[in-house]
Amino acid sequence: MSIIVSGHIKGGTGKSTIATSFATKIVQSGASAVVVDVDETSTSATWFAIREGEGRTPSVPVVQQLKTPVPVIIELSKKYDAVIVDVGARDIDTLTPLARICDLWIAPLGIGQPDLSATIQLYEEFSRKHSQHKAQRIPLVSVFNKVPSSWNTSEEIDAREFLAEQCPELVILKSYIKDRKAWRDSGRLGLGITEMPAREALKAIEEFDAFFAEALSHHVKH
Ligand SMILES: Nc1ncnc2c1ncn2[C@@H]1O[C@H](COP(=O)(O)OP(=O)(O)OP(=O)(O)O)[C@@H](O)[C@H]1O
Ligand SMILES: [Mg+2]
């Protein structure tokens, strides 16, 4: 039904972390979801192995498909309510076939200059390819992740303003995800962030829930 990509040309921005938590949240809501890991570093597949090893429920299936993933993703989208694609940092030519078929593309980025520059590049490349999408627009949304949690930082606001200026039509989600230990712990434990104990992860969960709802509001209408 729905194909949601967590992807960027930049490495280490939180693509896999967001993909697995996104899928978990969908499964928790009672819908079906599968993660397709398109990355040979296998972060989502490893997360799944930990999860299965620990006997965690509900099951959040992860399949790995490194080569020509598009036909597999389309097949899976007929069986599952949502297919979440975790695509490792890739060149734009590898990302384009996925951009063409997705209903939502989430590009997480950090507030640093390399992530901002890479996001501008992704936006510009996708802008040139809008006509290849069935809705005539690649549904790209960007979200700031790993935002420093010190209370007095203006870095996130500065980064946001800079990105908005450079990319006038880019959707930059209002919600953002701070750098929190709970995220690293959830990865290590094979959990989605919303499965973490509230006493350890309340703020991370609240931030994620706000991001989840806002991101889905940009999903292509069927
Ligand atoms: N909000 C966050 N707070 C703290 N740590 C985070 C957060 N988001 C991601 N991380 C951590 O950052 C690291 C990189 O995250 P992740 O593997 O999801 O990035 P990626 O974009 O998939 O990387 P790659 O390009 O290698 O595929 C991991 O250790 C993860 O636990
Ligand atoms: Mg990854």
Side-chain angles (χ1 to χ4, degrees), residues 6 8 10-19 39 41 43 86-89 108 145-147 177-188 207:
S6 182
H8 207 304
K10 180 76 174 61
T13 61
K15 302 177 290 293
S16 302
T17 303
I18 285 177
D39 187 9
T41 60
T43 311
D86 172 18
V87 48
N145 183 30
K146 299 201 223 181
V147 173
I177 301 170
K178 286 193 173 183
D179 189 308
R180 296 187 190 277
K181 179 175 176 290
W183 280 102
R184 290 185 289 278
D185 291 343
S186 68
R188 192 169 44 77
E207 285 161 9

Side-chain angles (χ1 to χ4, degrees), residues 70 74 92-103 105 124-139 220:
V70 166
I74 289 173
I92 200 75
D93 291 338
T94 316
L95 297 183
T96 302
L98 292 167
R100 238 178 247 144
I101 60 158
C102 73
D103 299 300
W105 186 295
E124 288 175 349
E125 298 279 6
F126 276 10
S127 299
R128 282 193 273 278
K129 295 185 165 114
H130 279 324
S131 64
Q132 297 184 24
H133 193 277
K134 59 182 187 261
Q136 299 299 302
R137 197 184 152 271
I138 298 168
V220 167

